[in-house]
């Protein structure tokens, strides 16, 4: 065997070692959540002193934690989260795609400046203005409502940026031909631009969903009725209780994490495309 | 039917000069008026959800018992609690951002190489990204308990048990750990996209010249990855500047103010202490910093190099 070959063999072994280490570091906590949700709750803090592999290998698997959790108020919170996320995606796609179209397909003076103001404003983390905005929402009577939870999330700077980037790449000949045929801007938008833009629309939808699903500070600020709590807040309140069942806690954590995880893994291709169009300037 | 053809049978039957004249008049008519209708909802959202709260908080921050004035700002910068919170946030930023970016870069480069199981291990690193921060905080809160898995692991490795969230020295670092578990995989994806964009020929040429992996990293990867790296650094800075959930769920800013990040400080000022004018001054200070940093981030998105 020649030296370069041996060297590349060592390099390969090094890569595998590092890869496995990284997978364990990031993956083991995930496995611990899954196992703790599926084992009898009293076993969660066993096998720790001394630490044995049994901590990650349950003797018996049970869905009891899930059935107890789902017989309480938690399903309501999950439904609230889903409703808010779906409404945010629908409203957000409408608002962000129209804005992106207006800022890309139509030429007008100061377009770049308007674009900069819109994207910068909506890229400022929402948390930064959440406290004063919650005061306004209370004045407007939007507390404890789906509208109150959904509205601030529909305008998303990254989604607008992403869609506009894609729209700019659509040949203007298509638009010009349609205009000669007498099509209005709305027709061009709905019949030419949107059908061509499935990948960035899915990518933007994913961004909007993730944003909405992980919201924590905002629902804390404008929701006071327990029936309107979203899932992450309901779970955190659960921990705040004097005595709580760790099995239910892990079952809830797993449910709240699994929904975006499944979406993200299934739509990974679109997520990667959106990330690429942000990270790379062609 | 997508686009109804006009009565004259469409473009094909129009003379060239007619087409040009039509296009000319269309270009004129499609000015700000047409665009305005499309941008209007976004601008309305901008006005209602960004400008109005900013103005509202600016006005509220000027309210003092004796009328409008800068008293709140004076108090904010002279009394210790806000400056201490800013200091904590800056120290936190100086730890969490370099750590996340360096780890994300290292992992992105690792996964650029080919080895068995590369797809699976990359997915494992990416998976925690899906976990909402509040949920990650809850779960890591359990893991960091003195009698829980993290200490069990340390003890089995021959290290002593640590206090983690209950210690002023370790609480902030514990939060850094859980944030990185969620964040590193996310930033890694941007850097992987950046790496894919580097033409393979550079590495091939370097290999012909006998350059090793270290040389390749510093001479090819790092210079050509500058833009995505800068973007990720600024985006991480922005995201980590307004961290709230782990503090509220796990430490309440403590022990002894060790985790009192500015977002939590403003929240506490507004609700626990019901001092809205002072909270407003803090929010405005935070907002100004954010506008500057996001401005830089936007320039990075748009810059040609």
């Amino acid at each position: 065997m020649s030296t370069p070959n041996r060297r590349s063999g060592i390099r390969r072994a090094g890569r595998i070692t590092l890869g496995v280490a990284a997978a364990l570091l990031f993956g083991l906590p995930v496995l611990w959540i899954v196992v703790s949700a599926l084992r009898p709750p009293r076993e969660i803090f066993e096998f720790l002193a001394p630490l044995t592999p049994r901590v990650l290998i349950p003797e018996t698997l049970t869905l009891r934690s899930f059935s107890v959790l789902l017989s309480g108020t938690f399903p309501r919170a999950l439904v609230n989260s889903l409703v808010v996320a779906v409404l945010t995606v629908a409203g957000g796609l409408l608002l962000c795609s129209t804005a992106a179209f207006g800022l890309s397909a139509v030429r007008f003076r100061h377009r770049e400046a308007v674009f900069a103001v819109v994207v910068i404003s909506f890229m400022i983390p929402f948390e930064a203005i959440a406290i004063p905005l919650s005061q306004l929402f209370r004045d407007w009577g939007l507390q404890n409502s789906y509208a109150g939870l959904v509205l601030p999330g529909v305008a998303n700077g990254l989604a607008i940026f992403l869609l506009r980037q894609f729209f700019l790449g659509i040949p203007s000949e298509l638009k010009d031909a349609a205009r000669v045929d007498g099509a209005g801007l709305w027709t061009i938008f709905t019949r030419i631009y949107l059908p061509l833009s499935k990948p960035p629309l899915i990518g933007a939808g994913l961004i909007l969903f993730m944003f909405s699903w992980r919201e924590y500070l905002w629902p804390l600020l404008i929701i006071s009725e327990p029936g309107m709590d979203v899932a992450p807040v309901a779970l955190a309140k659960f921990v705040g209780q004097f005595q709580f069942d760790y099995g239910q806690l892990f079952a809830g954590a797993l449910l709240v994490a699994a929904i975006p995880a499944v979406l993200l893994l299934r739509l990974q291709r679109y997520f990667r495309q959106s990330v690429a169009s942000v990270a790379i300037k062609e | 039917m997508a686009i109804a053809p006009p009565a004259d049978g469409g473009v094909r039957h129009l003379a060239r000069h007619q087409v040009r004249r039509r296009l000319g008049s269309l270009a004129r008519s499609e000015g700000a008026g047409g665009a305005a209708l499309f941008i209007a909802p976004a601008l309305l959202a901008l006005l209602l959800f960004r400008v109005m709260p900013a103005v509202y908080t600016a006005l509220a921050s000027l309210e003092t018992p004796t009328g409008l004035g800068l008293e709140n700002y004076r108090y904010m910068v002279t009394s210790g609690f806000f400056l201490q919170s800013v200091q904590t946030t800056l120290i936190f930023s100086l730890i969490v951002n370099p750590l996340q970016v360096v780890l994300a870069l290292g992992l992105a480069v690792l996964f650029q190489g080919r080895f068995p199981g590369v797809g699976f291990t990359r997915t494992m690193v990416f998976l925690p990204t899906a976990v909402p921060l509040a949920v990650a905080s809850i779960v890591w809160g359990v893991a960091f308990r003195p009698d829980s898995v993290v200490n069990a692991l340390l003890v089995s490795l021959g290290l002593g048990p640590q206090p983690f969230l209950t210690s002023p020295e370790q609480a902030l670092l514990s939060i850094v750990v859980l944030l990185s578990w969620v964040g590193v995989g996310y930033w890694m994806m941007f850097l992987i996209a950046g790496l894919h964009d580097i033409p393979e020929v550079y590495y091939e040429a370097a290999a012909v010249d006998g350059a090793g992996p270290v040389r390749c990293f510093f001479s090819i990867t790092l210079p050509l990855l500058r833009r995505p790296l800068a973007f990720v650094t600024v985006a991480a800075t922005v995201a980590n500047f307004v961290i709230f959930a782990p503090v509220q769920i796990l430490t309440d800013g403590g022990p002894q103010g060790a985790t009192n990040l500015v977002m939590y400080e403003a929240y506490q000022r507004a609700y626990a202490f019901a001092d809205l004018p002072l909270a407003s001054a803090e929010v405005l200070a935070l907002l100004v910093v954010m506008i500057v940093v996001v401005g830089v981030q936007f320039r990075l998105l748009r810059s040609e190099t």
Side-chain angles (χ1 to χ4, degrees):
Chain A
M1 203 196 249
S2 64
T3 318
N5 257 342
R6 194 181 314 146
R7 199 181 293 159
S8 81
I10 293 170
R11 220 172 271 161
R12 204 170 125 104
R15 282 205 185 114
I16 296 175
T17 312
L18 284 174
V20 169
L24 290 176
L25 216 55
F26 286 85
L28 281 186
V30 177
L31 184 62
W32 182 60
I33 298 172
V34 176
V35 167
S36 300
L38 288 171
R39 77 188 330 165
R42 70 190 138 72
E43 283 184 17
I44 292 174
F45 289 101
E46 276 179 38
F47 318 110
L48 291 174
L51 187 69
T52 71
R54 293 276 307 280
V55 76
L56 290 174
I57 306 165
E59 208 161 56
T60 45
L61 288 176
T62 166
L63 289 174
R64 213 188 140 270
S65 292
F66 287 94
S67 65
V68 178
L69 178 75
L70 294 178
S71 64
T73 54
F74 194 70
R76 177 71 205 253
L78 266 183
V79 169
N80 286 341
S81 271
L82 275 174
V83 169
V84 170
V86 168
L87 290 176
T88 303
V89 171
L93 283 181
L94 189 66
L95 183 139
C96 295
S97 63
T98 48
F101 180 79
L103 290 165
S104 60
V106 191
R107 260 167 256 113
F108 60 91
R109 280 217 287 168
H110 307 305
R111 188 176 85 180
E112 294 307 304
V114 174
F115 172 62
V117 168
V118 168
V119 170
I120 290 176
S121 309
F122 292 126
M123 269 170 65
I124 291 171
F126 174 63
E127 282 85 349
I129 47 101
I131 292 172
L133 188 62
S134 71
Q135 316 280 340
L136 288 174
F137 266 49
R138 232 166 283 159
D139 291 348
W140 298 339
L142 288 169
Q143 76 276 39
N144 292 315
S145 72
Y146 284 138
L149 287 168
V150 169
L151 281 174
V154 291
N156 185 299
L158 209 53
I160 295 174
F161 184 90
L162 196 75
L163 288 163
R164 180 182 188 255
Q165 194 89 332
F166 192 88
F167 288 168
L168 285 173
I170 295 177
S172 61
E173 286 82 2
L174 281 175
K175 184 188 64 172
D176 292 339
R179 299 221 72 171
V180 171
D181 283 351
L185 281 175
W186 183 254
T187 310
I188 294 172
F189 173 60
T190 55
R191 298 290 167 88
I192 298 177
Y193 275 65
L194 288 186
L196 286 172
S197 307
K198 207 181 116 195
L201 284 171
I202 295 176
L206 207 52
I207 289 172
L208 288 158
F209 184 92
M210 291 295 166
F211 172 87
S212 164
W213 191 259
R214 55 181 57 164
E215 244 346 287
Y216 180 75
L217 172 60
W218 181 246
L220 211 57
L221 290 175
I222 64 155
I223 300 300
S224 53
E225 276 173 27
M228 283 300 291
D229 273 339
V230 291
V233 174
L235 211 57
K237 280 188 179 170
F238 193 62
V239 182
Q241 286 164 14
F242 183 61
Q243 256 191 334
F244 63 96
D245 168 7
Y246 279 99
Q248 287 184 59
L249 177 77
F250 280 102
L254 183 56
L255 283 176
V256 179
I259 291 168
V262 167
L263 269 181
L264 210 52
L265 291 181
R266 292 215 52 171
L267 302 174
Q268 224 185 97
R269 187 159 62 94
Y270 301 99
F271 178 75
R272 274 209 222 116
Q273 283 171 5
S274 346
V275 159
S277 79
V278 173
I280 300 160
K281 179 90 183 180
E282 64 283 349
Chain B
M1 185 68 212
I3 300 143
D8 59 11
V11 191
R12 273 164 296 142
H13 299 283
L14 291 174
R16 268 189 99 81
H17 69 275
Q18 283 176 295
V19 173
R20 203 166 299 135
R21 201 184 312 136
R22 275 210 189 185
L23 278 175
S25 72
L26 285 168
R28 252 173 281 126
S29 70
E30 78 165 22
L37 285 174
F38 283 91
I39 310 171
L43 289 183
L44 186 67
L46 179 70
L47 185 71
L48 290 177
F49 307 143
R50 301 286 150 145
V51 177
M52 277 190 69
V55 171
Y56 180 91
T57 205
L59 288 177
S61 73
L62 297 174
E63 270 172 34
T64 70
T66 53
L68 295 182
L70 293 170
E71 184 57 27
N72 295 310
Y73 290 96
R74 202 191 60 78
Y75 184 66
M76 184 176 87
V77 295
T78 52
S79 65
F81 59 86
F82 182 69
L83 290 185
Q84 214 219 322
S85 160
V86 169
Q87 192 192 344
T88 305
T89 310
L90 289 180
I91 293 171
F92 167 75
S93 299
L94 287 174
I95 300 170
V96 73
N97 297 319
L99 181 79
Q100 289 191 352
V101 174
V102 167
L103 280 178
L105 176 63
L107 289 166
V109 171
L110 174 68
F111 294 135
Q112 185 191 21
R114 310 250 172 284
F115 59 87
V118 61
F120 174 75
T121 47
R122 191 185 51 211
T123 303
M124 277 296 124
V125 173
F126 179 60
L127 201 54
T129 298
V131 183
L133 184 53
V135 175
S137 304
I138 294 166
V139 171
W140 277 90
V142 179
F144 277 137
R145 275 179 26 166
D147 60 344
S148 189
V149 276
V150 182
N151 264 336
L153 191 66
L154 289 182
V155 169
S156 76
L157 292 173
L159 303 162
Q162 301 297 318
F164 299 117
L165 294 164
T166 54
S167 138
E169 287 80 33
Q170 294 181 1
L172 198 60
L173 289 176
S174 307
I175 290 178
V176 167
V177 168
L178 79 89
L179 283 173
S180 303
W181 180 68
V182 176
V184 165
Y186 184 71
W187 306 125
M188 178 188 77
M189 295 305 274
F190 288 86
L191 298 179
I192 286 177
L195 286 175
H196 275 308
D197 205 40
I198 299 176
E200 197 65 36
V201 285
Y202 290 135
Y203 293 103
E204 284 159 11
V208 169
D209 291 346
V214 176
R215 183 72 207 278
C216 282
F217 176 77
F218 285 104
S219 302
I220 302 172
T221 308
L222 215 47
L224 289 175
L225 206 60
R226 235 187 26 223
R227 216 189 69 91
L229 256 181
F231 173 78
V232 161
T233 306
V234 179
T237 306
V238 171
N240 287 324
F241 214 87
V242 290
I243 290 302
F244 173 79
V247 181
Q248 195 262 351
I249 292 171
L250 297 175
T251 63
D252 282 327
Q256 296 159 35
T259 57
N260 194 27
L261 301 176
V262 277
M263 197 60 239
Y264 186 71
E265 159 64 27
Y267 172 82
Q268 283 290 88
R269 208 49 63 185
Y271 293 97
F273 305 113
D275 190 342
L276 206 56
L278 196 54
S280 302
E282 294 181 352
V283 165
L284 200 72
L286 179 68
L287 211 51
V288 170
V289 174
M290 286 290 94
I291 291 171
V292 172
V293 184
V294 173
V296 173
Q297 184 184 16
F298 183 74
R299 286 202 59 140
L300 286 170
L301 275 175
R302 309 267 295 151
S303 67
E304 301 303 323
T305 46

